[in-house]
Amino acid sequence: MERNDIKTVIRNEIVNCLLELQGFLVVGNWKMNKTKQEVKSFLNDIASYDFGEKNTIVIVPPNPYLYLFEEKLRYSKVLYGVQNIYPKGNGAFTGELSLEMANDFGCKYAIIGHSERRTIFSECNVFISKKVRACVQNQIKPILCIGENLEERKNDNYKQLLINQIKEGLSRIDVSELSKVVIAYEPIWAIGTGETATPDQVEETHIFIRKFLTDEYGSDVGNDIPLLYGGSVNPTNVKKLALAQSVSGFLIGGASLNAQTFKEINNILNGN
Ligand code: PGA
């Protein structure tokens, strides 16, 4: 074997060992995709698959399919959640889903303030903060999504924007409740575009966010909040992204729709 080949083998071994040590939170966001039949076949496929012990796996389907998840996964290690909630109990809110309902189906997570909700459905930070609080009060972990668009990125003011999204998003909960929250950094220009942020860009932004969290809420709390990356994550780029400092896991859209691809990502994060 050539010297360079040996170096590559050793480097890969070290990387795999590092991945084997770290537990990741891996969340699949299906958005508005899949038929009932496709959901059934995905669930059958993953039911027999061993995701291992160290990663936390969460799948977030469209609401009509939650009953299938409850049937298949209620007592499994694979968790599931909702893509959005309305921050009130039951009542006259046509078209909305309450936390009581999400709880009833055994959901453990809710994606809150995804950029598609912010841009297409005009959700603002105040509304988002109410949803975060409602989740925390109802034992559902909110995954608070933050991220800048391309213009904001180019103007270089995106870091202040991220801080505002975090500060306002978390403004209605107490510091003691922050351990129940997950933050997902998803640059809008990398969502569904195939254009991933580079590991360096992800690392730089995650370190910046982590520093803000520890400065603002104290080092114990700030270091404890899982910080996910999302935006065109796939089996080809996930290993390098996983090695970026302060990345605790991933919010995965397109690549979570296919059971095989989703399992492959998990295998890579297990160091296999
Ligand atoms: P993507 O979506 O992986 O398809 O880019 C990520 C997300 O929107 O959460």
Side-chain angles (χ1 to χ4, degrees):
M1 206 187 269
E2 297 285 322
R3 196 187 164 99
N4 276 348
D5 293 340
I6 296 173
K7 273 191 189 168
T8 308
V9 171
I10 294 174
R11 199 177 298 125
N12 275 337
E13 275 308 305
I14 294 172
V15 164
N16 290 343
C17 285
L18 287 173
L19 292 177
E20 262 177 57
L21 291 173
Q22 195 182 334
F24 293 96
L25 172 56
V26 186
V27 184
N29 173 14
W30 282 2
K31 307 191 183 184
M32 198 173 72
N33 288 298
K34 286 200 185 289
T35 62
K36 189 167 62 176
Q37 205 43 49
E38 286 167 348
V39 176
K40 283 183 177 170
S41 112
F42 183 103
L43 290 174
N44 282 337
D45 197 338
I46 62 156
S48 55
Y49 171 72
D50 180 8
F51 280 93
E53 293 299 321
K54 72 182 187 71
N55 297 331
T56 304
I57 309 296
V58 184
I59 300 171
V60 188
N63 296 336
Y65 303 134
L66 284 173
Y67 78 100
L68 292 171
F69 276 69
E70 187 188 22
E71 253 171 42
K72 204 81 182 175
L73 299 180
R74 184 121 201 189
Y75 302 105
S76 129
K77 277 188 285 184
V78 178
L79 305 174
Y80 50 93
V82 286
Q83 299 174 16
N84 182 33
I85 53 100
Y86 193 71
K88 293 271 190 219
N90 296 336
F93 303 102
T94 303
E96 295 296 324
L97 179 93
S98 76
L99 280 153
E100 273 177 36
M101 294 167 189
N103 262 328
D104 212 5
F105 279 96
C107 295
K108 299 288 180 233
Y109 287 81
I111 298 175
I112 302 294
H114 189 281
S115 63
E116 285 146 21
R117 304 266 352 144
R118 291 177 189 262
T119 54
I120 306 171
F121 302 100
S122 310
E123 287 194 8
C124 65
N125 283 325
V126 173
F127 192 34
I128 288 166
S129 71
K130 292 180 182 172
K131 295 183 179 198
V132 169
R133 181 183 57 194
C135 284
V136 166
Q137 288 173 345
N138 286 277
Q139 289 76 50
I140 289 201
K141 282 199 174 201
I143 302 174
L144 171 65
C145 299
I146 59 166
E148 79 285 0
N149 65 30
L150 197 54
E151 202 182 325
E152 287 151 351
R153 179 91 192 185
K154 282 185 183 151
N155 288 342
D156 225 30
N157 62 357
Y158 75 98
K159 286 184 176 160
Q160 191 51 48
L161 177 120
L162 298 179
I163 286 183
N164 291 347
Q165 289 176 334
I166 296 174
K167 264 182 147 170
E168 293 186 38
L170 300 180
S171 61
R172 282 183 159 73
I173 60 169
D174 194 72
V175 177
S176 64
E177 295 169 314
L178 286 172
S179 61
K180 298 172 184 158
V181 169
V182 176
I183 294 177
Y185 169 57
E186 297 206 300
I188 297 171
W189 45 273
I191 295 179
T193 58
E195 183 172 342
T196 334
T198 65
D200 284 349
Q201 285 172 319
V202 173
E203 181 162 277
E204 195 215 330
T205 312
H206 273 233
I207 289 174
F208 170 79
I209 296 170
R210 183 66 73 201
K211 178 162 177 357
F212 166 74
L213 292 174
T214 52
D215 289 350
E216 186 76 10
Y217 306 112
S219 64
D220 283 356
V221 173
N223 278 319
D224 248 21
I225 299 175
L227 193 48
L228 312 184
Y229 169 74
S232 299
V233 174
N234 61 43
T236 312
N237 58 28
V238 72
K239 191 184 255 190
K240 286 206 170 118
L241 292 166
L243 294 171
Q245 211 178 307
S246 264
V247 170
S248 335
F250 298 96
L251 183 50
I252 305 171
S256 71
L257 289 169
N258 180 292
Q260 215 44 47
T261 314
F262 194 56
K263 289 189 285 188
E264 197 183 334
I265 289 175
N266 186 68
N267 279 341
I268 295 167
L269 293 175
N270 275 331
N272 297 328

